[in-house]
Amino acid sequence: MEGYVSVMTGDIGGTNARFTLKRISKADRSKREVITEGKLPTTDYATFGEVLKAFLKPYLGTPEYPKLVCIGIAGPRRGDSVKITNAHWPEFNIKEVEKELGFEALYVLNDFEANGYGILNMTRDMYTEVTSIPSVPGAPKLLIGTGTGLGEAIVTKGQAGDDYVVFPGEGGHVDFAARNETEFGFMMYVKRKLKLERVSYERCCCGLAIPLMFDYLNETMKKENKVDSKVYNDIREHLMKLLDLLENSPSDESINKRIEELDKAIFNAGMNKEDKVCEATVDMFASLYGAETGNAALKVLPYGGIYLLSSVTLAMKDHIIKDKTFLESMKAKGRMRGLLEKMPVYIVNQDVGALGAEEFVSRKVK
């Protein structure tokens, strides 16, 4: 279609690759038309390039074949070299895939970078307000999310001052700072269990941290004659299997699923007040998550909003909104409390990485 550019966007995780092929108007980038969209299982393909090729096969040699492609992935990027963390594929080179498949340009975004662009175009149903504080137009925004890891990114105006630009970082890997004896004990427990030389915030505030925290709190609370968890034996059995896999088979594809199942069991029992140790685990995790959110916010002053996302965030969404442990911990920064009380907080209700990939690539249409 004359006056339009064909683009492909998508996001790739450990299980599925989701793609959308669209036409975007050169004159008005807001005018977009879907050509096709679909989902392919990553396990059916040997490489990153192969799954893209399979999706685009019906359009090879047609005007709909994309010139510009933008894909969000979970994994590190070093220059043009990319390794998708939870997929079995080998590392690939962006420029090599771009040339092989005949794209004018291939852009690969870290999943947090993609979600950072995604929040710019969310509809109202895609997020939930945790606070009723209005955001300041043009002010920086902060993304933080706990799931498989602890991701952080800054979204701020670029040099031209027109469009927001996303700056992903590795803030979750800063040194963990315990605020009390319980947190110090947990830090030492994590260090011992995972055989670490140092403990980062991510180690204490991600999906794997939840069953570890449960195990630590059960032992601590039992010694203090407070309580003995009703579900301890069942959860500990699964935890021991998980720790054995992490030590002896770290590439086992079942690890993330096992972590998700443990997290769900502990959170459900804790948030439904069915088990005292699970309750304590949810509270402690919310407090640590809130503390690091406040730490990150002080470095950015995101009056444009703090956006919480990822799987564990959604699992504890009701607790964050109703219990206030998270918010109180976030704001408990001494003399800086007043600044944090003015920052709006939102929970992103779904992955908006595909939306972000589309926002990013649409800016390249000329």
Side-chain angles (χ1 to χ4, degrees), residues 213-227:
M213 193 177 293
F214 168 86
D215 189 44
Y216 165 74
L217 287 174
N218 187 74
E219 290 303 306
T220 303
M221 294 168 76
K222 189 162 60 174
K223 286 177 184 176
E224 296 172 355
N225 295 316
K226 289 183 178 178
V227 71

Side-chain angles (χ1 to χ4, degrees), residues 32-79:
R32 303 171 189 184
E33 179 185 347
V34 175
I35 300 169
T36 188
E37 53 191 354
K39 180 174 72 173
L40 298 174
T42 57
T43 50
D44 287 358
Y45 302 92
T47 66
F48 172 79
E50 280 191 17
V51 74
L52 268 63
K53 192 182 297 184
F55 181 79
L56 291 171
K57 187 177 179 180
Y59 302 96
L60 190 62
T62 72
E64 284 79 21
Y65 193 81
K67 293 184 176 181
L68 306 175
V69 177
C70 183
I71 308 294
I73 59 101
R77 173 180 168 177
R78 294 174 297 278

Side-chain angles (χ1 to χ4, degrees), residues 40-294:
L40 298 174
T42 57
T43 50
D44 287 358
Y45 302 92
T47 66
F48 172 79
E50 280 191 17
V51 74
L52 268 63
K53 192 182 297 184
F55 181 79
L56 291 171
K57 187 177 179 180
Y59 302 96
L60 190 62
T62 72
E64 284 79 21
Y65 193 81
K67 293 184 176 181
L68 306 175
V69 177
C70 183
I71 308 294
I73 59 101
R77 173 180 168 177
R78 294 174 297 278
D80 287 330
S81 296
V82 180
K83 179 73 175 78
I84 300 177
T85 304
N86 297 321
H88 63 287
W89 297 332
E91 186 170 285
F92 65 90
N93 182 278
I94 295 172
K95 293 299 180 185
E96 289 177 2
V97 176
E98 180 183 276
K99 183 178 180 180
E100 178 190 353
L101 298 184
F103 303 142
E104 283 189 8
L106 169 62
Y107 305 98
V108 177
L109 307 181
N110 164 278
D111 56 347
F112 249 71
E113 188 176 5
N115 274 282
Y117 285 105
I119 66 168
L120 302 176
N121 289 316
M122 289 191 298
T123 55
R124 184 61 187 82
D125 61 308
M126 293 180 180
Y127 64 92
T128 300
E129 291 182 346
V130 180
T131 63
S132 57
I133 302 164
S135 63
V136 176
K141 304 173 188 290
L142 170 68
L143 265 71
I144 183 166
T146 175
T148 306
L150 178 65
E152 299 180 10
I154 300 166
V155 187
T156 188
K157 292 283 189 178
Q159 289 183 341
D162 297 327
D163 293 326
Y164 273 99
V165 179
V166 181
F167 298 93
E170 295 294 345
H173 294 282
V174 298
D175 294 328
F176 178 74
R179 298 168 296 169
N180 52 52
E181 288 185 17
T182 301
E183 291 180 4
F184 182 80
F186 178 57
M187 178 185 72
M188 298 307 293
Y189 167 94
V190 170
K191 187 175 183 181
R192 184 174 68 254
K193 282 286 183 183
L194 300 183
K195 299 179 174 62
L196 304 172
E197 293 185 4
R198 65 178 284 272
V199 179
S200 67
Y201 225 104
E202 178 174 280
R203 296 286 192 180
C204 297
C205 197
C206 68
L208 176 58
I210 295 163
L212 294 176
M213 193 177 293
F214 168 86
D215 189 44
Y216 165 74
L217 287 174
N218 187 74
E219 290 303 306
T220 303
M221 294 168 76
K222 189 162 60 174
K223 286 177 184 176
E224 296 172 355
N225 295 316
K226 289 183 178 178
V227 71
D228 190 6
S229 171
K230 299 173 187 175
V231 297
Y232 175 75
N233 289 334
D234 183 48
I235 288 177
R236 183 171 173 78
E237 180 183 350
H238 290 290
L239 175 60
M240 292 303 105
K241 289 180 182 176
L242 175 62
L243 290 175
D244 180 65
L245 282 174
L246 286 169
E247 182 174 357
N248 300 307
S249 305
S251 60
D252 191 297
E253 292 183 0
S254 72
I255 286 175
N256 284 335
K257 183 173 176 58
R258 287 175 180 270
I259 292 172
E260 288 173 8
E261 289 173 349
L262 281 168
D263 290 353
K264 184 177 180 180
I266 294 167
F267 270 24
N268 284 345
M271 290 168 62
N272 292 324
K273 301 189 182 301
E274 296 169 356
D275 184 273
K276 292 294 183 184
V277 180
C278 290
E279 279 188 64
T281 302
V282 175
D283 287 342
M284 182 174 173
F285 191 89
S287 181
L288 291 180
Y289 188 18
E292 174 55 13
T293 300

